[in-house]
């Protein structure tokens, strides 16, 4: 396994905040497992841990919102990655707006999209939510660095990882 860990340790993906709303409940978490997964049609997949609050809300949602963060938005990453929605209202002091399908968009994110959940796929301890993008936006003038795994690796998770 040391060989695979060496491979994974070389990766430094962009981090995302995923938000979900269902049954009057809202949730959001910091995600490091996300990628475009189709060119035509464009599809994107986000992988959510079955252990966290966001997964429990997302499994009943019709849409998810996916947000990229700027490197200097570490505080927002700590909020969504270092606290659990089981005990904290992560949205209390965050600038939000409602988007397609009731999705919550973080207004200060440099880029975001809302996607309809097309399917879900198991993949170990995370479930992949395949999204069909239906609305998107962000700060057109932002051209700075995005928050990456190496910027967020020291954030202790808000829920157990196993």
């Amino acid at each position: 396994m040391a060989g695979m860990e060496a491979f994974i340790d070389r990766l430094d993906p962009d981090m995302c905040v995923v938000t979900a709303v269902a049954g009057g409940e809202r949730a959001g978490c910091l995600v490091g497992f996300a990628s475009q997964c189709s060119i035509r049609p464009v599809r994107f997949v986000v992988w959510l841990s079955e252990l966290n609050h966001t997964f429990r809300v997302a499994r009943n949602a019709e849409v998810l919102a996916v947000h990229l963060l700027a490197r200097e938005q570490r505080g927002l990453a700590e909020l969504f990655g270092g606290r659990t929605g089981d005990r904290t209202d992560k949205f209390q002091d965050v600038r939000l707006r409602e988007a397609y399908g009731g999705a919550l968009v973080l207004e200060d994110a440099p880029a975001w999209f809302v996607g309809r959940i097309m399917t879900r796929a198991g993949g170990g301890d995370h479930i992949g939510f395949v999204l069909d993008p239906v609305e998107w936006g962000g700060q057109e003038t932002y051209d700075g660095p995005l928050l990456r795994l190496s910027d967020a690796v020291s954030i202790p998770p808000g829920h157990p990882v196993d």
Side-chain angles (χ1 to χ4, degrees), residues 19-149:
T19 59
V21 178
E25 194 171 5
R26 57 191 189 175
C29 65
L30 187 65
V31 172
F33 303 146
S35 177
Q36 182 177 344
C37 60
S38 175
I39 296 171
R40 285 188 192 90
V42 173
R43 297 286 187 263
F44 196 87
V45 63
V46 294
W47 295 87
L48 301 178
S49 168
E50 293 180 88
L51 299 176
N52 80 29
H53 181 249
T54 302
F55 170 78
R56 292 190 304 276
V57 175
R59 69 182 171 198
N60 296 312
E62 294 182 19
V63 296
L64 298 177
V66 180
H67 310 79
L68 294 174
L69 298 182
R71 184 172 289 154
E72 65 266 10
Q73 291 179 302
R74 183 177 165 91
L76 202 52
E78 289 173 346
L79 173 65
F80 281 93
R83 298 190 188 160
T84 175
D86 291 320
R87 294 186 296 272
T88 302
D89 179 0
K90 298 179 187 182
F91 300 95
Q92 183 175 346
D93 297 318
V94 176
R95 290 180 355 112
L96 301 169
R97 75 172 186 81
E98 191 171 308
Y100 179 94
L104 288 180
V105 169
L106 308 179
E107 289 189 338
D108 295 326
W112 58 269
F113 79 92
V114 173
R116 272 192 314 261
I117 299 171
M118 302 301 295
T119 192
R120 294 166 185 85
D125 59 4
H126 284 63
I127 301 295
F129 289 74
V130 178
L131 305 175
D132 172 25
V134 294
E135 184 181 0
W136 46 87
Q139 303 169 10
E140 291 183 26
T141 59
Y142 182 81
D143 64 355
L146 296 174
L147 186 82
R148 300 182 71 85
L149 176 61

